[in-house]
Amino acid sequence: MAPGRMTTAAAHATRASEPTASEIRRLSTLLDASQALSGTLDLKAALHRVLEILGRHHGAVRSTVVLLEAETGQLRVEAADGLIRQDAKVRYEIGEGITGRVVQSGRPVVVPRVSREPLFLGRAADRPELTHQELSYLSVPIVLNRKAVGALGVDLKFKPDRDYDRYVKFLGIVASMIAQALKVQRLVESERRQLVEENTHLRQELKERYDFSNIMGTSGPMRQVCEQIAQVARANTTVLIRGESGTGKELIAHAIHYNSLRARKPFVKVSCAALPESLIESELFGCEKGAFTGAEARRKGRFELAESGTLFLDEIGDINPATQVKLLRVLQEREFERLGGTETIRANVRLIAATHKDMEQMLSSGGFREDLYYRLNVFTIFVPPLRDRKSDLLLLADHFLEKFSRAHGKGIKRISTPAIDMLTSYHWPGNVRELENCLERTVLVCDGHVIHAHHLPPTLQTAEASGTVPHLSLKDAVAAYEKDLIQDALKTTRGNRAKAARLLNSTERILNYQVRKYGIDWQRFKTQRRDQA
Ligand SMILES: Nc1ncnc2c1ncn2[C@@H]1O[C@H](COP(=O)(O)OP(=O)(O)OP(=O)(O)O)[C@@H](O)[C@H]1O
Ligand SMILES: [Mg+2]
């Protein structure tokens, strides 16, 4: 046989394996449908698009997607196309009508002549005059995790020679694409819900954490600070918090935010001292792409991130003169531009600034602009150092003891009197933070139920020792320990020396002798102060 010529049989075979026009149409529809379903998270719109394609290219007079509603257990029309009643909220029970049966059984149904099918409800159908012609109805299940969760239904003009099997297969593929899109949408939705829940929970936790009740202090100065927080929190006033390092400035900034009308909006902190000079401006105001080498994309600054919320400028005393000028402008005009940008951005941000620096000295030396200082200094809260509020010290010590004892799973109940004396006689240059760290360390090294003087860190030991004996001899150390134990026993027995002696397995006579020797004022344990209990 000459090349290029085929037998009639071979030609037939080739023609049979060639796709027909309707197959090509179906393939291109599948491609379009998959693009529509994967291109968006708006499932309803994507379903409409798919149904529209079925109407335009596949002779669907009417088409619907019904989905099972988790709350009601009913089937609800999610999307529809063609001659459909737009107003009706069409619903089916599972097992009701043809659609209901398809979902119940998970199998497709074909009704070649709708007029002869008593089960056909046609609830979504509109304008019967247009559909008086005989119709066929095909419905295939939408299956997710091996369970039918809906159905895709199509009305076609009745044609006696229609290949229903092929059409059902084709619709089955479309339905499986819909199922896949549904799966993605439900995953995204459940993730989103989880995030929203988590966010609400975290916000609540933050609010509780920075609640007023967590700011410990009953001393006069601390009461005044709390009053000031209450006064200023709900206003939009700029607040300047001043105080030595570790006095609780950040805690107060949080308390102001979480008690303000902006509590549900972001609280954004900028540590001005921690940022290098070259970066601080872009951190605060953001930058446009290419504003400087390394700025590869447009980035929002902290002012934009804190929109409608609070911006906390920590260590404001450390910002450079150039940034001071820009900050002044935002404070005056409430607007700014991103670095390298021209668009002016409005700033709806409440400012709280904090510093441990001597601002007056910085003003006179020219390190800080006076005009900026007056803008910041609208409402100033001074947080007193811990050494000036001794009455807060034991309250804070108890608070941290309980916190760390719980955190480290220890059953520590109290602090012994000598240890209390050491805590109160120390000058706490690092303020509350130092006390907090000291208590954590002490809880870690303490192995009983009581914190004794020897559990306290060396800084405190040296402080005490430096006032009395520079180098403790063995004899002195034993004496100090003995004194510690006796005082503790007296405290337990509320100054009852006989009982204290019994507790120490000693006699009252020996105890009295030691009390005199160490100059212990046992009477003071009789009327025990509450804060030493
Ligand atoms: N009144 C208080 N009640 C309970 N905890 C406090 C109190 N004051 C401070 N703290 C705790 O002490 C620690 C230090 O506080 P904070 O970070 O607010 O200090 P700061 O003044 O910002 O210090 P710095 O100037 O060094 O940044 C924090 O863990 C805070 O929770
Ligand atoms: Mg701080």
Side-chain angles (χ1 to χ4, degrees):
M1 192 176 63
R5 286 189 61 192
M6 273 191 270
T7 61
T8 330
H12 267 289
T14 312
R15 224 172 288 134
S17 64
E18 265 174 13
T20 61
S22 74
E23 272 171 344
I24 290 175
R25 211 163 44 230
R26 281 175 190 165
L27 281 175
S28 90
T29 292
L30 291 179
L31 187 66
D32 284 352
S34 94
Q35 275 168 356
L37 289 165
S38 62
T40 170
L41 277 179
D42 182 353
L43 187 67
K44 232 182 166 98
L47 290 177
H48 267 291
R49 169 98 190 95
V50 171
L51 297 184
E52 227 173 65
I53 301 171
L54 291 181
R56 196 168 322 134
H57 299 300
H58 301 277
V61 182
R62 217 171 15 223
S63 53
T64 52
V65 171
V66 298
L67 291 178
L68 194 61
E69 219 174 36
E71 307 88 58
T72 58
Q74 285 182 325
L75 294 167
R76 180 175 46 87
V77 175
E78 183 71 15
D81 189 62
L83 300 168
I84 291 291
R85 283 164 58 195
Q86 298 296 332
D87 55 326
K89 281 196 182 134
V90 185
R91 281 170 188 277
Y92 302 87
E93 297 292 337
I94 289 193
E96 186 190 17
I98 294 194
T99 309
R101 291 198 171 197
V102 167
V103 178
Q104 191 176 42
S105 66
R107 306 166 92 98
V109 167
V110 176
V111 182
R113 285 166 178 261
V114 164
S115 62
R116 296 188 186 170
E117 175 54 62
L119 267 179
F120 189 78
L121 298 172
R123 276 195 198 149
D126 190 23
R127 303 178 68 188
E129 74 277 8
L130 285 182
T131 50
H132 265 164
Q133 50 189 319
E134 184 64 281
L135 291 178
S136 307
Y137 181 67
L138 279 67
S139 180
V140 293
I142 297 171
V143 181
L144 197 67
N145 302 329
R146 280 189 254 151
K147 193 174 168 289
V149 294
L152 166 66
V154 172
D155 285 281
L156 305 166
K157 275 187 196 141
F158 171 71
K159 280 188 198 156
D161 59 342
R162 197 186 280 282
D163 184 347
Y164 289 109
D165 272 358
R166 286 209 128 172
Y167 209 112
V168 164
K169 266 194 194 131
F170 162 66
L171 281 186
I173 300 173
V174 177
S176 72
M177 284 175 171
I178 294 177
Q180 198 54 37
L182 202 62
K183 189 171 178 174
V184 171
Q185 196 220 23
R186 289 189 179 172
L187 263 179
V188 169
E189 184 54 33
S190 89
E191 240 165 55
R192 199 188 67 87
R193 239 193 331 257
Q194 203 177 333
L195 282 176
V196 167
E197 267 167 31
E198 211 171 279
N199 201 359
T200 321
H201 174 75
L202 284 176
R203 267 180 204 283
Q204 186 56 29
E205 213 168 70
L206 271 177
K207 197 169 163 36
E208 278 165 20
R209 184 140 138 220
Y210 294 112
D211 195 65
F212 268 103
S213 57
N214 285 329
I215 302 182
M216 298 284 149
T218 50
S219 63
M222 263 330 262
R223 279 204 189 140
Q224 200 184 343
V225 166
C226 284
E227 260 167 42
Q228 284 180 309
I229 298 173
Q231 277 170 5
V232 81
R234 297 181 81 79
N236 259 333
T237 323
T238 302
V239 182
L240 179 63
I241 308 170
R242 295 180 56 177
E244 287 180 13
S245 183
T247 44
K249 297 185 292 295
E250 192 166 336
L251 190 71
I252 289 169
H254 273 109
I256 295 175
H257 173 73
Y258 286 103
N259 286 287
S260 77
L261 301 173
R262 296 168 177 259
R264 298 181 65 80
K265 300 287 177 188
F267 176 92
V268 177
K269 173 185 162 178
V270 187
S271 294
C272 303
L275 287 166
E277 273 192 22
S278 54
L279 275 185
I280 184 138
E281 280 188 31
S282 72
E283 271 304 317
L284 283 176
F285 306 111
C287 61
E288 295 291 342
K289 188 176 170 183
F292 52 87
T293 30
E296 279 153 13
R298 170 197 266 194
R299 201 156 51 84
K300 282 187 177 180
R302 308 272 173 107
F303 264 99
E304 271 178 271
L305 294 175
E307 177 59 28
S308 309
T310 305
L311 184 67
F312 175 44
L313 297 172
D314 203 5
E315 306 304 351
I316 188 93
D318 288 281
I319 57 168
N320 61 42
T323 316
Q324 286 181 31
V325 177
K326 293 211 165 176
L327 207 53
L328 179 66
R329 178 170 161 231
V330 189
L331 279 171
Q332 276 173 341
E333 292 159 30
R334 298 270 154 199
E335 58 184 36
F336 62 94
E337 282 100 34
R338 292 193 198 101
L339 227 66
T342 48
E343 183 196 346
T344 302
I345 301 165
R346 298 279 317 156
N348 170 16
V349 166
R350 193 233 192 117
L351 268 188
I352 302 179
T355 181
H356 66 270
K357 292 216 164 156
D358 180 349
M359 292 304 275
E360 285 69 26
Q361 195 255 321
M362 287 193 73
L363 290 177
S364 60
S365 71
F368 205 87
R369 290 181 69 101
E370 217 164 306
D371 42 10
L372 177 60
Y373 175 68
Y374 290 122
R375 286 272 163 190
L376 290 171
N377 193 22
V378 185
F379 190 100
T380 301
I381 297 178
F382 284 94
V383 198
L386 189 56
R387 62 182 166 280
D388 291 349
R389 40 183 169 119
K390 282 272 155 77
S391 63
D392 288 347
L393 194 127
L394 293 180
L395 196 72
L396 282 163
D398 276 341
H399 166 72
F400 292 134
L401 177 71
E402 200 196 311
K403 173 173 147 187
F404 293 122
S405 181
R406 200 174 335 115
H408 297 297
K410 301 240 179 165
I412 305 171
K413 301 276 183 299
R414 62 191 180 90
I415 308 174
S416 74
T417 310
I420 287 177
D421 288 343
M422 272 167 87
L423 290 174
T424 45
S425 57
Y426 184 59
H427 59 299
W428 300 108
N431 294 294
V432 187
R433 182 179 294 115
E434 189 181 6
L435 177 68
E436 188 174 8
N437 294 341
C438 161
L439 260 297
E440 178 159 26
R441 175 195 187 276
T442 308
V443 164
L444 283 174
V445 297
C446 177
D447 41 14
H449 293 296
V450 183
I451 286 181
H452 287 289
H454 62 272
H455 292 131
L456 293 174
T459 26
L460 274 77
Q461 309 282 356
T462 336
E464 203 210 17
S466 60
T468 50
V469 204
H471 296 290
L472 230 54
S473 67
L474 178 65
K475 195 168 145 246
D476 292 334
V478 171
Y481 189 55
E482 203 170 36
K483 185 179 172 188
D484 196 353
L485 286 177
I486 293 169
Q487 277 183 318
D488 211 46
L490 281 167
K491 191 180 163 197
T492 311
T493 61
R494 296 184 184 266
N496 185 327
R497 285 167 295 168
K499 276 190 191 168
R502 274 202 296 283
L503 208 65
L504 293 170
N505 241 345
S506 179
T507 64
E508 198 175 346
R509 200 178 59 79
I510 294 177
L511 188 94
N512 273 331
Y513 164 74
Q514 282 162 325
V515 163
R516 245 174 291 125
K517 178 176 148 196
Y518 295 125
I520 299 170
D521 175 16
W522 60 272
Q523 304 258 19
R524 81 162 160 144
F525 297 108
K526 282 167 79 179
T527 49
Q528 224 170 24
R529 293 210 311 271
R530 242 188 63 69
D531 55 12
Q532 290 188 357

